[in-house]
């Protein structure tokens, strides 16, 4: 029986499934209405030649879809996740709960926001200990992409071990 701290080691079968050909950055937004706010991130990644994908998946409206995406992203070769959401912005936190990849949250402002996006900012920043989410400014998707690029630049040291929780 392995000690509890050893359970993060992936079984051999999972490591063999690692697909290095997938996009390096996975971007999620909680709603179609969030898409425009992520344009600066897409432009930044495009300019830097960093492969990426963008999906609309809501933590509240499609929690199973978010769980499925987040828990399989690392096996598909994704190395950093960016999640943008507004209002009760649970998406980045839920993604971080299902993946060991670094997660960058982008609080988004919408017409229904409280205090110009303060609601989403607090929802993303106030993660419980043990489930980290990096957070950029409200509508700061360009910084999220730049931060993702800097994380990727550390590449050599990044452990490619999918967690058992994520499988
Ligand atoms: C959040 O609720 C989304 O991220 C979006 O910012 C906000 C409003 O969503 P819609 O009602 O426009 O779909 O979950």
């Amino acid at each position: 029986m392995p000690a509890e701290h050893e359970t993060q080691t992936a079984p051999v079968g999972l490591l063999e499934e690692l697909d290095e050909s997938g996009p390096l950055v996975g971007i999620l937004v909680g709603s179609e209405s969030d898409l425009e706010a992520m344009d600066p991130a897409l432009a930044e990644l495009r300019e830097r030649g960093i492969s990426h994908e963008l999906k609309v998946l809501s933590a509240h409206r499609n929690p199973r879809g978010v769980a499925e995406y987040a828990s399989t992203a690392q096996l598909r070769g994704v190395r950093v996740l960016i999640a943008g959401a507004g209002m009760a912005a649970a998406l980045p936190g839920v993604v971080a709960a299902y993946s060991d990849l670094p997660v960058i949250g982008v609080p988004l402002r919408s017409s229904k926001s409280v205090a110009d996006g303060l609601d989403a900012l607090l929802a993303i920043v106030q993660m419980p200990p043990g489930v980290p989410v990096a957070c950029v400014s409200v509508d700061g998707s360009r910084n999220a992409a730049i931060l993702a690029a800097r994380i990727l630049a550390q590449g050599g040291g990044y452990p490619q071990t999918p967690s058992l929780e994520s499988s």
Side-chain angles (χ1 to χ4, degrees):
M1 192 68 177
E4 200 178 327
H5 69 274
E6 292 176 64
T7 57
Q8 292 295 304
T9 307
V12 173
L14 274 184
L15 285 175
E16 282 169 355
E17 285 174 33
L18 269 176
D19 177 0
E20 300 288 332
S21 66
L24 289 172
V25 178
I27 305 174
L28 295 183
V29 288
S31 167
E32 299 263 343
S33 65
D34 296 327
L35 284 172
E36 196 180 329
M38 302 309 280
D39 282 349
L42 297 176
E44 191 68 37
L45 293 172
R46 235 178 267 125
E47 195 172 313
R48 290 167 183 259
I50 296 173
S51 58
H52 54 278
E53 65 185 4
L54 171 65
K55 310 239 177 248
V56 179
L57 280 173
S58 166
H60 296 116
R61 294 166 177 155
N62 185 3
R64 286 191 183 86
V66 174
E68 164 77 14
Y69 178 87
S71 60
T72 58
Q74 192 169 13
L75 283 172
R76 293 187 303 104
V78 174
R79 305 264 303 277
V80 183
L81 291 163
I82 295 174
M87 300 177 75
L91 184 61
V94 173
V95 167
Y98 280 103
S99 176
D100 287 343
L101 292 170
V103 177
I104 306 169
V106 186
L108 300 177
R109 180 182 1 222
S110 77
S111 56
K112 294 163 253 173
S113 292
V114 171
D116 275 346
L118 183 61
D119 45 5
L121 175 65
L122 292 177
I124 292 173
V125 164
Q126 292 289 73
M127 288 296 294
V131 192
V133 170
C135 183
V136 295
S137 61
V138 173
D139 288 340
S141 74
R142 180 170 176 234
N143 266 3
I146 295 171
L147 181 55
R150 291 182 179 180
I151 293 169
L152 289 169
Q154 306 302 310
Y158 193 79
Q160 284 281 359
T161 47
S163 86
L164 293 176
E165 283 293 317
S166 312
S167 60

